[in-house]
């Protein structure tokens, strides 16, 4: 996310251009057996493509994450019905608490709406469903999680791009070997993957730093993400309305998309 702060265009050109290369030369695997060898090959290629020593050191410090692989293979909640998913994720409770969060942070949401054209409801819905309003952002080593998925044969091309973004963020001091987040490498109060940090991360509290573990930066960055996915100021965001497509950009699961719309509507004053 952070194209404004981190030279994102150059990074993404490198990342997309290199997606095929590392995945082919550094062979993927479905067990931990080849991870260390893959890591050495990938590190050599990354270094040759301009990744700095701090990031290379963080990469070499990674460990194969069995927990990440289990989580990647076990996303069963997205197969539930909408009602089941809403119940499992605590949709009614998020909507109820979300109304008080909207009132308590009225000034922040007014600034975000003015800047990005995104109302509080969908932002609060995402915030509540992702981390229970910032109360739990994950305890998985971030660089290890992303490296594991870049090595894994299921989606190596996609996560190779995420790994290059993570390494760029390490070189810039945004991430480190100590950074922890969700099982797939998401970080912050609304759970951004590394490439989304580079593309959409913004300073929401005016302190000159982008830190997605802070409420203001996380919510402003989420609004920027939605705007970047086509959000139109003042348009509706329920299924069939113009802004639902932006919500679809947040998560590929239909039940998740519909839950954001339903919870957001309740928070913004709908039924």
């Amino acid at each position: 996310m952070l194209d404004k702060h981190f030279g994102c265009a150059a990074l993404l050109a490198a990342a997309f251009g290199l997606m095929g290369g590392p995945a082919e030369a550094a062979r993927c695997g479905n067990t931990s057996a080849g991870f260390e060898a893959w890591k050495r090959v990938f590190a050599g290629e990354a270094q040759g493509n301009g990744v700095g020593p701090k990031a290379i050191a963080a990469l070499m410090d990674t460990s194969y994450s069995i927990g990440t692989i289990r989580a990647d293979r076990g996303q069963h909640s997205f197969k539930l019905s909408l009602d089941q998913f809403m119940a499992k994720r605590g949709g009614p409770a998020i909507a109820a608490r979300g109304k008080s969060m909207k009132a308590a942070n009225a000034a922040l949401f007014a600034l975000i709406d003015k800047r990005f054209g995104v109302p509080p409801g969908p932002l609060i819905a995402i915030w509540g469903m992702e981390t229970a309003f910032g109360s739990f952002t994950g305890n998985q080593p971030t660089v290890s999680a992303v490296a594991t998925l870049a090595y894994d044969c299921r989606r190596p091309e996609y996560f190779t791009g995420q790994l290059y973004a993570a390494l760029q963020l390490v070189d810039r001091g945004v991430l480190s070997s100590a950074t922890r987040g969700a099982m797939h490498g998401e970080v912050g109060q609304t759970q951004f993957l590394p490439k989304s940090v580079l593309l959409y991360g913004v300073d929401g509290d005016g302190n000159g730093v982008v830190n997605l573990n802070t409420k203001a930066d996380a919510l402003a960055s989420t609004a920027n993400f939605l705007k970047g996915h086509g959000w139109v100021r003042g348009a509706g965001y329920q299924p069939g309305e113009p802004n639902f497509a932006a919500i679809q950009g947040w998560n590929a699961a239909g039940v998740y998309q519909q839950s954001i719309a339903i919870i957001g509507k309740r928070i913004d004053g709908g039924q």
Side-chain angles (χ1 to χ4, degrees):
M1 301 180 193
L2 282 237
D3 50 331
K4 179 178 176 183
H5 299 274
F6 293 131
C8 153
L11 165 81
L12 292 181
F16 285 121
L18 291 168
M19 261 184 202
E24 293 166 5
R27 283 191 176 182
C28 70
N30 292 314
T31 71
S32 62
F35 183 68
E36 293 300 320
W38 172 89
K39 197 165 67 174
R40 288 191 294 271
V41 174
F42 193 99
E45 293 174 353
Q47 188 173 29
N49 285 291
V51 174
K54 187 191 298 186
I56 295 299
L59 174 63
M60 296 310 295
D61 194 39
T62 59
S63 301
Y64 182 82
S65 174
I66 294 173
T68 287
I69 295 300
R70 286 176 179 164
D72 190 57
R73 304 294 192 265
Q75 301 180 72
H76 303 305
S77 65
F78 294 140
K79 299 177 182 178
L80 299 173
S81 70
L82 177 59
D83 287 345
Q84 290 170 331
F85 184 83
M86 282 279 286
K88 184 177 179 66
R89 298 301 286 262
I94 291 171
R97 188 177 173 200
K99 292 177 182 178
S100 64
M101 298 296 277
K102 177 183 175 181
N105 297 279
L108 172 61
F109 285 115
L111 288 172
I112 290 173
D113 195 355
K114 182 178 179 181
R115 183 175 177 184
F116 300 106
V118 181
L123 301 177
I124 296 171
I126 290 169
W127 189 24
M129 284 202 292
E130 291 288 355
T131 66
F133 307 104
S135 64
F136 183 70
T137 58
N139 198 34
Q140 185 74 4
T142 297
V143 183
S144 287
V146 179
T148 296
L149 292 168
Y151 161 71
D152 184 61
C153 288
R154 181 166 176 250
R155 290 180 288 172
E157 293 85 3
Y158 178 79
F159 278 100
T160 290
Q162 296 293 344
L163 181 54
Y164 267 98
L167 295 177
Q168 176 80 349
L169 291 168
V170 171
D171 271 339
R172 299 293 184 176
V174 178
L175 301 180
S176 73
S177 295
T179 302
R180 290 177 176 265
M183 283 295 186
H184 286 76
E186 307 97 329
V187 295
Q189 292 200 22
T190 54
Q191 303 284 268
F192 273 37
L193 282 167
K195 275 170 62 176
S196 291
V197 177
L198 286 167
L199 284 168
Y200 303 110
V202 293
D203 175 12
D205 54 19
N207 68 352
V209 176
V210 176
N211 178 0
L212 298 186
N213 287 312
T214 66
K215 172 178 61 181
D217 289 7
L219 292 169
S221 297
T222 304
N224 192 36
F225 179 101
L226 293 174
K227 182 180 179 182
H229 284 75
W231 191 278
V232 178
R233 181 185 298 273
Y237 57 83
Q238 297 305 299
E241 295 181 327
N243 286 329
F244 190 68
I247 290 174
Q248 289 176 307
W250 182 263
N251 191 291
V255 289
Y256 201 112
Q257 298 160 5
Q258 293 173 72
S259 296
I260 292 173
I262 291 168
I263 295 169
K265 183 178 180 179
R266 292 177 183 174
I267 292 168
D268 279 337
Q271 296 301 316

